[in-house]
Amino acid sequence: MWLLAPLFALVLVGGCLALLGYGVGAVADGLSGLKERSVALRGLAALAAAGAGVLYVWGLLHVFGAVVEAEDGGTDSSPVRSCRTAGWEERAAAGVEITDYRVRVVPLGFVCETSDGGSYDNGDVPSYVNPAVAGCTLAAAAAAVSAGFASERRARAVAAGEGGGEDRGTRAGGEGRQGGRDG
């Protein structure tokens, strides 16, 4: 299962690059006035989602490294090397052994389990990764919802005839109000 992690990370990076490209173009078009404001908000949502994806891949690579180190057999492989954090020798002397490990995907983490039923995160994933992923995800969702509201508001304003700068006849097929009728 964890052998697929590098492939998953590669696919995530490709998706992040696509979101980054779309986001930069959409923000540039929206801020320059070439397109409406909702396009810039969609671009911001894409950029925030790309940031969340890149940070998640960064944390996933740390977890993958801990798993590779934990699965490395041979001499000095017990207890799991990834779980040998500060104070593990004192806990072992007190009779609390490291028995197993598990991987958390959301939030990212490498969790070591002990013989007394407890567990602890070994700290391989940098402490900023999970909060930053959550923040970028929330920012992406907020920008996407805002873009939807802005698009809906503009569509209602155009339907009510309040503006938008478009002639209804030109929207409906590229012809003027009088054009296109056979008499």
Side-chain angles (χ1 to χ4, degrees):
M1 161 75 178
W2 277 100
L3 295 176
L4 294 177
L7 180 63
F8 181 67
L10 190 61
V11 169
L12 266 175
V13 167
C16 290
L17 289 175
L19 284 171
L20 184 66
Y22 170 77
V24 168
V27 168
D29 286 348
L31 293 179
S32 68
L34 294 175
K35 299 200 177 172
E36 59 268 3
R37 197 172 308 162
S38 64
V39 173
L41 288 170
R42 276 186 249 137
L44 285 175
L47 290 174
V54 166
L55 286 165
Y56 190 82
V57 167
W58 179 245
L60 190 65
L61 290 174
H62 282 85
V63 170
F64 181 68
V67 168
V68 167
E69 188 175 9
E71 292 294 322
D72 187 23
T75 307
D76 196 35
S77 63
S78 181
V80 177
R81 277 187 261 156
S82 296
C83 292
R84 295 180 193 173
T85 57
W88 76 272
E89 292 168 329
E90 290 82 21
R91 287 191 299 270
V96 179
E97 298 290 328
I98 299 168
T99 57
D100 202 6
Y101 70 90
R102 61 185 156 88
V103 174
R104 283 190 326 220
V105 182
V106 175
L108 279 171
F110 187 89
V111 179
C112 303
E113 297 177 348
T114 58
S115 60
D116 64 350
S119 62
Y120 62 94
D121 192 312
N122 74 343
D124 275 357
V125 177
S127 61
Y128 62 86
V129 169
N130 287 317
V133 168
C136 287
T137 302
L138 289 174
V145 168
S146 297
F149 281 134
S151 291
E152 181 66 21
R153 183 175 173 209
R154 185 175 188 285
R156 288 182 185 207
V158 168
E162 293 179 8
E166 292 181 336
D167 185 359
R168 288 184 190 187
T170 58
R171 272 192 303 135
E175 300 175 18
R177 292 178 194 245
Q178 308 277 342
R181 294 185 185 168
D182 292 338

